[in-house]
Amino acid sequence: MVILLILFLLGLCIGSFLNVVIYRLPKNESIIYPSSHCPFCNHKIAFYDNIPLLSFIILGGRCRNCKKRISFQYPLVEFICGIILPLSFLYYGFSLNFFATSLFLYLLLPIFFIDLKHQVISDKITIPGIIIGFAFSFFLETFHWLGSLIGIAVGGGILLLTAVIGKWVFKKEAMGMGDVMLFMMVGAFLGWKGVLLTLILASFLGSIIGGIILTIKKKKDTVVPFGPFISIAAAFSYFWGTFLIEKYLSLFR
Ligand SMILES: [Zn+2]
């Protein structure tokens, strides 16, 4: 129990850091300097007001200085990050898989929130992600480096093809390079089966939820980013992909 609590607290700190990444990366600001400040009044946030989760509750979700409401996204990101480490631990124990899983999820999380807000998927996350995923494949017993390499190629290839055909058919950008890079990262961690499953699930999720959003908003220039759906689908495929693919294939046996 103690170990789970320690991992949870450690995860909260990672969440605190990822909040900074989500806020500053799209603005091309340094994620190390300067220290945290209120997005409204620029007031420097003291360390005792910067405790993950707790400070948000104590301050009632408002800045101590200007009393403006702070986005619920901050404690949400911290909480999700908090439970990633204990969950990975329960799933894998202290193994290399524990680190690979946690890292993969910590890469997907900022991609999810940044794309949701800014409609952009940063290379600064996906390129290191591709390298990290590929590097892990050399050491994981459950995965082979060739599987990772094929995953990268399939993820990139299919998406690039979709982007080209999409542009040709719809006469506009259907898929950005950011999406292609993200699929390469997913392929590096999941292999070609996982990346295909992610594509199917993400398209399915995207067309349903995206359709609902477009119907509600009714504005023609409303953009529904694909990255959040890819991120969710990838996380799902990571844990339940093998099970789902086995079940599907057994239908034909
Ligand atoms: Zn403020």
Side-chain angles (χ1 to χ4, degrees):
M1 264 322 276
V2 180
I3 183 77
L4 292 181
L5 185 68
I6 292 172
L7 286 173
F8 178 70
L9 295 176
L10 202 64
L12 287 183
C13 297
I14 295 172
S16 192
F17 168 71
L18 288 185
N19 268 324
V20 176
V21 171
I22 292 167
Y23 185 74
R24 296 190 188 176
L25 198 66
K27 298 181 172 181
N28 265 324
E29 289 176 3
S30 162
I31 51 174
I32 298 161
Y33 183 86
S35 57
S36 300
H37 46 259
C38 168
F40 304 106
C41 67
N42 254 331
H43 184 76
K44 189 175 175 294
I45 298 170
F47 72 92
Y48 51 82
D49 281 341
N50 212 359
I51 304 162
L53 231 45
L54 214 60
S55 290
F56 189 86
I57 297 166
I58 291 170
L59 293 171
R62 288 169 194 278
C63 166
R64 186 185 286 278
N65 189 49
C66 69
K67 307 285 180 220
K68 283 242 169 67
R69 207 170 267 287
I70 293 162
S71 168
F72 189 68
Q73 182 194 305
Y74 289 92
L76 181 67
V77 166
E78 284 159 1
F79 180 74
I80 297 171
C81 286
I83 58 174
I84 283 177
L85 285 183
L87 276 185
S88 302
F89 179 74
L90 288 175
Y91 222 83
Y92 293 110
F94 269 126
S95 63
L96 219 51
N97 272 311
F98 164 78
F99 290 102
T101 307
S102 309
L103 251 168
F104 185 51
L105 296 177
Y106 285 134
L107 286 164
L108 289 176
L109 194 94
I111 290 173
F112 177 96
F113 282 100
I114 292 174
D115 199 22
L116 195 65
K117 267 172 128 175
H118 303 275
Q119 283 83 48
V120 64
I121 298 173
S122 176
D123 289 353
K124 286 180 187 152
I125 301 176
T126 48
I127 292 177
I130 295 167
I131 296 167
I132 291 170
F134 186 52
F136 263 113
S137 70
F138 284 88
F139 304 103
L140 294 176
E141 283 174 21
T142 47
F143 203 36
H144 193 265
W145 66 268
L146 194 61
S148 176
L149 195 65
I150 295 172
I152 296 171
V154 170
I158 289 185
L159 262 288
L160 216 53
L161 201 68
T162 316
V164 171
I165 295 174
K167 203 174 174 183
W168 182 59
V169 174
F170 300 110
K171 302 270 182 269
K172 66 172 187 179
E173 213 79 49
M175 193 107 52
M177 270 315 284
D179 295 312
V180 179
M181 301 297 278
L182 176 52
F183 268 102
M184 288 171 76
M185 183 185 111
V186 172
F189 277 91
L190 298 184
W192 68 272
K193 282 185 196 162
V195 86
L196 285 183
L197 181 65
T198 302
L199 177 63
I200 295 166
L201 290 176
S203 310
F204 185 68
L205 264 178
S207 51
I208 293 177
I209 298 173
I212 294 172
I213 293 171
L214 289 178
T215 322
I216 294 170
K217 291 212 165 173
K218 277 184 184 151
K219 263 194 276 175
K220 255 199 165 164
D221 54 349
T222 304
V223 186
V224 181
F226 196 27
F229 300 113
I230 305 171
S231 304
I232 291 176
F236 183 87
S237 304
Y238 192 87
F239 288 103
W240 297 290
T242 319
F243 173 77
L244 218 63
I245 292 167
E246 284 299 317
K247 271 269 176 273
Y248 178 73
L249 290 178
S250 70
L251 294 176
F252 301 96
R253 279 186 208 127

